[in-house]
Amino acid sequence: MNALAATNRNFKLASKLLGLDSKLEKSLLIPFREIKVECTIPKDDGTLASFVGFRVQHDNARGPMKGGIRYHPEVEPDEVNALAQLMTWKTAVAKIPYGGAKGGIGCDPSKLSISELERLTRVFTQKIHDLIGIHTDVPAPDMGTGPQTMAWILDEYSKFHGYSPAVVTGKPIDLGGSLGRDAATGRGVMFGTEALLNEHGKSISGQRFVIQGFGNVGSWAAKLISEKGGKIVAVSDITGAIKNKDGIDIPSLLNYTREHRGVKGFDGADPIDSNSILVEDCDILIPAALGGVINRENANEIKAKFIIEAANHPTDPDGDETYMQTLEESLSVTLNGFRTYKGLCGRKRR
Ligand SMILES: NC(=O)c1ccc[n+]([C@@H]2O[C@H](COP(=O)([O-])OP(=O)(O)OC[C@H]3O[C@@H](n4cnc5c(N)ncnc54)[C@H](O)[C@@H]3O)[C@@H](O)[C@H]2O)c1
């Protein structure tokens, strides 16, 4: 199911449960503002390349809009709209005085040099600078972006508006970033996992984990979970998937991925088919990459007893339904709910 259709569907279900007025429901479904910009840059070889950038500002009723900027080939308007809407619900559930927004550029950052990424980010910022700002909309990192991207946005924005470090979060510490921000989302995943397991009389120690995505969120979650005694038995990223039933040595994998830019080829584990990562045998599955990966096709094959949703909307509604049916068939119960201030959702099968 398309990401926006899925998010709208879930919102309408929530709206029905809350008894929201239909006019208010409609107003909350339509974003405050959608921005689409063309970003053309000279590549290092002198040729021109054009990319499409988006910023969707969903709602500012509770405060300035807030949300990440994603660089990924699959960035498209409906998904950005869905992610912006989800940010509104996340900041509201966490009761922080912000609204929701999201942005992105349809590009493959692994195929662009550092200089090309800098030019692209600066052109994108030039096109949207009048519509973002500390009191309106504050971008942050997401897939394919990080502190360096935020530093470029900050610098370019400051050329127009004067020195403005608060225009982005997730910037380098030297530019006013917060200590611990880099690890924060992965740490939230670890806390969410711990809280969910504690509720069921268990702890992280000794549990077997599978993690899809080994970027900022997935790698920090893996590091912190393994430090608590959790066994990471399989991991995947865009380069491939690896498995070691005795547990992958995460510090060694972190060193390896820094050098090789991916998990593929790590000699402390065996390569497996990337398509099988979500259905690998484990106690806890952590999708920490793309949306909609748990769907009708694979939901009934998932062996994990718990799913911790670290990625944004990793479970497609059809997948949710299939998973629920599978649970019912095996006389199971599901618990789900927001587990941490990050809005992580824990699902349990038994
Ligand atoms: N960074 C944050 O603070 C933050 C906050 C909230 C939510 N999130 C969400 O967490 C998820 C991951 O974000 P991140 O910041 O870690 O991004 P990242 O770019 O640092 O890492 C993404 C990881 O996913 C992998 N990946 C990409 N396509 C894949 C595919 N087809 N199959 C398997 N792996 C694939 C990449 O190789 C990489 O390891 C996203 O859904 C993002 O929206 C991130």
Side-chain angles (χ1 to χ4, degrees):
M1 189 184 288
N2 161 297
L4 185 58
T7 311
N8 285 347
R9 175 188 176 275
N10 287 342
F11 173 69
K12 283 179 188 164
L13 286 174
S15 161
K16 202 170 168 191
L17 286 174
L18 290 167
L20 281 194
D21 173 77
S22 63
K23 292 191 188 71
L24 180 58
E25 181 189 290
K26 192 174 175 194
S27 151
L28 285 169
L29 280 169
I30 301 169
F32 171 80
R33 185 189 279 140
E34 288 177 79
I35 306 157
K36 178 181 177 184
V37 293
E38 175 265 329
C39 303
T40 298
I41 55 157
K43 295 205 49 184
D44 291 346
D45 63 8
T47 59
L48 290 180
S50 292
F51 303 88
V52 183
F54 305 93
R55 184 75 182 167
V56 174
Q57 300 174 329
H58 178 257
D59 190 88
N60 63 357
R62 305 184 73 260
M65 294 167 281
K66 182 94 197 76
I69 291 191
R70 177 177 291 195
Y71 288 180
H72 194 275
E74 287 172 26
V75 165
E76 50 86 24
D78 274 2
E79 173 149 78
V80 183
N81 259 288
L83 293 168
Q85 188 189 127
L86 286 173
M87 283 307 299
T88 300
W89 313 143
K90 276 199 239 181
T91 53
V93 166
K95 288 200 170 113
I96 55 172
Y98 284 106
K102 198 83 179 193
I105 300 180
C107 67
D108 183 347
S110 69
K111 299 211 165 88
L112 295 172
S113 70
I114 288 285
S115 329
E116 289 165 345
L117 282 170
E118 176 175 358
R119 286 196 285 277
L120 181 58
T121 305
R122 287 185 183 277
V123 169
F124 181 54
T125 311
Q126 286 161 16
K127 303 265 171 119
I128 66 166
H129 75 89
D130 266 339
L131 300 168
I132 60 171
I134 180 169
H135 299 298
T136 46
D137 177 7
V138 183
D142 194 79
M143 273 181 80
T145 60
Q148 177 62 77
T149 328
M150 297 304 112
W152 291 325
I153 295 176
L154 188 171
D155 190 54
E156 197 62 28
Y157 180 89
S158 296
K159 286 183 191 166
F160 296 92
H161 302 273
Y163 184 56
S164 312
V167 68
V168 286
T169 55
K171 53 195 168 272
I173 309 286
D174 288 349
L175 293 176
S178 303
L179 284 171
R181 169 61 184 89
D182 208 29
T185 312
R187 198 177 294 281
V189 172
M190 184 272 285
F191 285 149
T193 307
E194 202 166 46
L196 180 67
L197 290 172
N198 285 350
E199 265 186 31
H200 297 283
K202 298 172 191 281
S203 69
I204 286 179
S205 181
Q207 301 288 331
R208 293 167 310 133
F209 290 80
V210 165
I211 303 182
Q212 182 189 45
F214 203 69
N216 172 276
V217 178
S219 68
W220 273 107
K223 177 175 157 43
L224 297 167
I225 285 169
S226 66
E227 283 170 5
K228 292 258 175 187
K231 204 189 264 189
I232 317 292
V233 293
V235 160
S236 76
D237 69 7
I238 193 78
T239 66
I242 54 170
K243 176 179 177 177
N244 180 341
K245 66 177 174 35
D246 298 323
I248 296 169
D249 179 351
I250 297 299
S252 302
L253 181 61
L254 285 166
N255 285 336
Y256 180 86
T257 53
R258 252 175 240 124
E259 198 182 328
H260 297 87
R261 298 183 77 179
V263 302
K264 191 179 174 187
F266 178 63
D267 64 7
D270 299 320
I272 54 167
D273 180 355
S274 297
N275 295 322
S276 75
I277 190 81
L278 298 170
V279 300
E280 283 295 328
D281 191 24
C282 65
D283 300 308
I284 295 138
L285 171 65
I286 305 184
L290 298 170
V293 292
I294 297 173
N295 48 47
R296 198 182 285 283
E297 277 74 54
N298 60 15
N300 59 356
E301 290 175 51
I302 290 175
K303 295 168 192 73
K305 299 181 194 77
F306 298 89
I307 300 172
I308 297 286
E309 297 183 326
N312 274 298
H313 78 90
T315 312
D316 179 276
D318 292 337
D320 216 6
E321 214 170 273
T322 308
Y323 189 64
M324 293 293 276
Q325 276 166 8
T326 314
L327 296 184
E328 279 162 18
E329 280 160 19
S330 58
L331 297 174
S332 304
V333 293
T334 294
L335 292 174
N336 63 57
F338 288 96
R339 296 292 173 188
T340 70
Y341 73 100
K342 282 287 177 198
L344 299 167
C345 185
R347 291 150 197 271
K348 186 197 179 236
R349 166 187 288 187
R350 75 173 175 217

